[in-house]
């Protein structure tokens, strides 16, 4: 884990009301959002010291736009029993960050319309502009948007780390398999405490 905080961007994936709140769309569809809600409460305890160490924090939010729903996407959503606009509709309360998550000045913000934070967004350009060649991916869901983002990061030759205690899900069976697979093929796995300890030690040496 020899990745300085000053070359690191923390990508916070989809920590939004519809994925984290019991009043959100996923809960209304019958999903258990408890893991995500707990993650939303714990994330500031990682993000604040990561930011102080020199990491760039990038808030990535899902947004469903009617104009961007393809027939293939519509069919996949309907096969899962929902409308493609039912979760994180653009401009809705459900698309806002979950309670307790408060960006700071200097943080960056991206809206995505696909699972990966790289598809259809300027994330590659943003990382280059800030001199970041290492990404730490946190958020939800481990088996969907976190998975897709980590795969894209690896394919783009970015050093990629996943603290396994800071990824959430609504399907434990799928998430656990995804985490094992990602850690074998696509990224380094660690814990948030180990990352913060490494950055703190580097700061003391520096």
């Amino acid at each position: 884990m020899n990745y300085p905080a000053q070359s690191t961007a923390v990508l916070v994936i989809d920590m939004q009301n519809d994925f984290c709140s019991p009043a959100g769309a996923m809960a209304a569809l019958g999903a258990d959002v408890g893991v995500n809600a707990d993650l939303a409460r714990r994330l500031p305890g990682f993000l604040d010291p990561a930011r102080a160490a020199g990491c760039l924090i990038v808030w990535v939010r899902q947004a469903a736009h009617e104009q961007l729903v393809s027939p293939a996407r519509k069919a996949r959503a309907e096969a899962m029993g929902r409308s493609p606009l039912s979760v994180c509709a653009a401009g809705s309360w459900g698309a806002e960050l979950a309670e307790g998550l408060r960006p700071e000045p200097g943080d960056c913000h991206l809206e995505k319309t696909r699972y990966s934070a790289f598809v259809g967004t300027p994330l590659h350009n943003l990382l280059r502009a800030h001199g970041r060649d290492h990404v730490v991916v946190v958020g939800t869901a481990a088996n969907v948007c976190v998975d897709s983002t980590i795969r894209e990061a690896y394919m783009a030759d970015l050093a990629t780390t996943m603290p396994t205690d800071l990824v959430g899900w609504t399907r434990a069976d799928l998430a656990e398999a995804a985490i094992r697979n990602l850690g074998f093929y696509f990224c380094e796995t660690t814990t948030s405490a180990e990352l913060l300890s490494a950055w703190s030690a580097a700061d003391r040496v520096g």
Side-chain angles (χ1 to χ4, degrees), residues 42-55:
R42 292 187 292 108
L43 258 179
F46 172 74
L47 296 178
D48 290 344
R51 186 186 291 110
C55 293

Side-chain angles (χ1 to χ4, degrees), residues 1-9 53-55 132-134 199 202:
M1 292 187 298
N2 188 25
Y3 307 120
Q6 292 75 16
S7 66
T8 297
C55 293
R132 310 289 162 149
D133 58 8
H134 171 229
W199 291 329

Side-chain angles (χ1 to χ4, degrees), residues 8 33 52 94 96 98 110 124 134 137 144 151 155 166 193 199:
T8 297
V33 299
E96 295 175 4
L110 284 179
H124 285 297
H134 171 229
V137 183
V144 190
R151 288 169 184 259
M155 300 300 182
L166 293 183
W199 291 329

Side-chain angles (χ1 to χ4, degrees), residues 2-203:
N2 188 25
Y3 307 120
Q6 292 75 16
S7 66
T8 297
V10 179
L11 309 183
V12 185
I13 307 297
D14 291 2
M15 292 302 295
Q16 297 161 270
N17 286 319
D18 271 351
F19 297 116
C20 302
S21 171
M26 291 300 294
L29 290 165
D32 182 354
V33 299
V35 171
N36 292 338
D38 177 66
L39 176 55
R41 288 188 289 269
R42 292 187 292 108
L43 258 179
F46 172 74
L47 296 178
D48 290 344
R51 186 186 291 110
C55 293
L56 176 70
I57 310 300
V58 183
W59 299 89
V60 182
R61 307 185 210 190
Q62 180 77 17
H65 294 266
E66 186 172 6
Q67 298 91 338
L68 298 176
V69 176
S70 66
R73 193 167 174 82
K74 182 173 184 291
R76 190 69 246 137
E78 290 175 349
M80 291 187 284
R82 60 179 187 248
S83 160
L85 300 175
S86 63
V87 179
C88 292
S92 69
W93 170 85
E96 295 175 4
L97 289 174
E99 183 178 357
L101 298 179
R102 296 182 179 86
E104 295 287 339
D107 292 355
C108 294
H109 302 265
L110 284 179
E111 179 183 282
K112 66 181 176 65
T113 62
R114 297 295 184 265
Y115 291 150
S116 169
F118 290 93
V119 174
T121 78
L123 181 52
H124 285 297
N125 291 339
L126 186 155
L127 295 173
R128 283 194 291 268
H130 288 268
R132 310 289 162 149
D133 58 8
H134 171 229
V135 294
V136 172
V137 183
V138 303
T140 198
N143 55 300
V144 190
C145 296
V146 169
D147 180 292
S148 297
T149 298
I150 287 175
R151 288 169 184 259
E152 292 266 356
Y154 174 78
M155 300 300 182
D157 295 327
L158 290 165
T160 308
T161 301
M162 174 177 57
T164 56
D165 59 318
L166 293 183
V167 293
W169 59 80
T170 58
R171 287 280 305 270
D173 57 333
L174 299 179
E176 289 165 1
I179 289 169
R180 289 196 300 271
N181 189 60
L182 288 169
F184 190 80
Y185 285 105
F186 298 104
C187 69
E188 182 173 13
T189 56
T190 185
T191 67
S192 58
E194 288 173 338
L195 277 171
L196 293 178
S197 177
W199 291 329
S200 177
D203 185 58

